Amino acid sequence: MSNNQKDKITILQYRTDRTEEHEIECFQKEFSQPNLDLNFINAVREDINLEILEDSSGLIIGGSTEFNLTAGHEANSWLESTNHFISKALNQGLPTLGICFGFQLLAIHQGGKLVNDSKYYETGSYEISLSQSADDCKIFSQLPDTFIAQLGHKDTLTKLPENSYSLAKSEVVPHQAFRLKEKPVWGVLFHPELNQVTAKER
């Protein structure tokens, strides 16, 4: 890569309220680097062109305050285009990260099961514990055994996709993170783009 060429990370958003701009600001604050271009696409309001992935170095599928897949929102027209987008990214071998709602989208795309049960609800700062299998993951093996992360969800993954393994859990949720086997694809239910301050600003 030449000195003036940037890696492009495509970020899919599923927000149409005031949290849309806040999410952009948080990603820019936490993830921006001089050689990195963050390309935001609102997958609810825009057509997501598959050709975008051709010059992307990675894909992030963001969260949502508006949609719950167990509440029938999977009937929305954007879900079909999202699934096509995910399929192409995975077939292309593109490094992909799903965050919260994105975690759920990746999970159901690969055959996981979601439930909406109040005993699993988490909103706020929670302790995350790594699973033993995290030792085999280059990214998660660099994290402490336990850490505090920001959460805000109702839908919960209770059955992992068969082609994945769990990386972390919380006290009440068994799968806070997973990775697909033999693919550079991760899902996290917690929000790495948020901290205790920015989470309260949403």
Side-chain angles (χ1 to χ4, degrees):
M1 183 175 69
S2 63
N3 292 334
N4 59 355
Q5 185 177 357
K6 294 184 177 183
D7 285 323
K8 185 175 79 172
I9 305 298
T10 295
I11 302 177
L12 296 184
Q13 290 190 280
Y14 295 86
R15 303 174 186 270
T16 61
D17 58 13
R18 62 183 181 82
T19 64
E20 179 183 358
E21 187 60 34
H22 181 257
E23 184 179 56
I24 292 173
E25 292 173 356
C26 290
F27 274 118
Q28 289 174 334
K29 181 178 180 180
E30 297 295 332
F31 297 156
S32 286
Q33 299 177 19
N35 64 339
L36 195 61
D37 180 24
L38 301 181
N39 178 37
F40 294 90
I41 299 172
N42 192 302
V44 178
R45 291 193 300 237
E46 305 173 40
D47 292 330
I48 46 178
N49 192 330
L50 295 178
E51 294 180 1
I52 294 169
L53 293 172
E54 298 299 334
D55 62 347
S56 293
S57 304
L59 171 65
I60 295 175
I61 308 170
S64 178
T65 54
E66 301 167 71
F67 303 109
N68 289 84
L69 294 171
T70 59
H73 294 154
E74 70 274 13
N76 284 279
S77 59
W78 46 258
L79 184 60
E80 183 177 358
S81 59
T82 290
N83 284 332
H84 287 315
F85 206 74
I86 292 174
S87 294
K88 181 171 176 58
L90 269 56
N91 291 335
Q92 190 173 309
L94 192 69
T96 299
L97 172 65
I99 298 174
C100 196
F101 188 67
F103 163 100
Q104 297 161 11
L105 286 168
L106 279 175
I108 63 170
H109 181 275
Q110 293 295 297
K113 180 181 178 181
L114 296 175
V115 299
N116 188 315
D117 188 327
S118 60
K119 71 181 180 182
Y120 296 125
Y121 289 3
E122 295 171 307
T123 300
S125 301
Y126 288 81
E127 184 176 86
I128 306 298
S129 301
L130 295 185
S131 305
Q132 187 173 357
S133 56
D135 293 340
D136 299 324
C137 176
K138 289 183 178 180
I139 295 177
F140 275 75
S141 62
Q142 299 179 50
L143 298 175
D145 291 340
T146 61
F147 57 92
I148 300 298
Q150 306 308 308
L151 287 157
H153 70 93
K154 292 182 178 179
D155 286 355
T156 300
L157 179 66
T158 56
K159 178 181 177 293
L160 282 172
E162 291 185 3
N163 61 335
S164 71
Y165 58 93
S166 185
L167 292 167
K169 62 182 180 179
S170 63
E171 184 176 353
V172 297
V173 172
H175 308 302
Q176 285 285 345
F178 69 86
R179 178 178 177 173
L180 296 189
K181 298 175 182 177
E182 301 179 358
K183 286 186 180 292
V185 177
W186 295 262
V188 294
L189 190 56
F190 54 88
H191 287 267
E193 81 282 11
L194 294 178
N195 55 44
Q196 288 179 312
V197 174
T198 55
K200 294 178 181 177
E201 295 173 349
R202 291 198 296 176

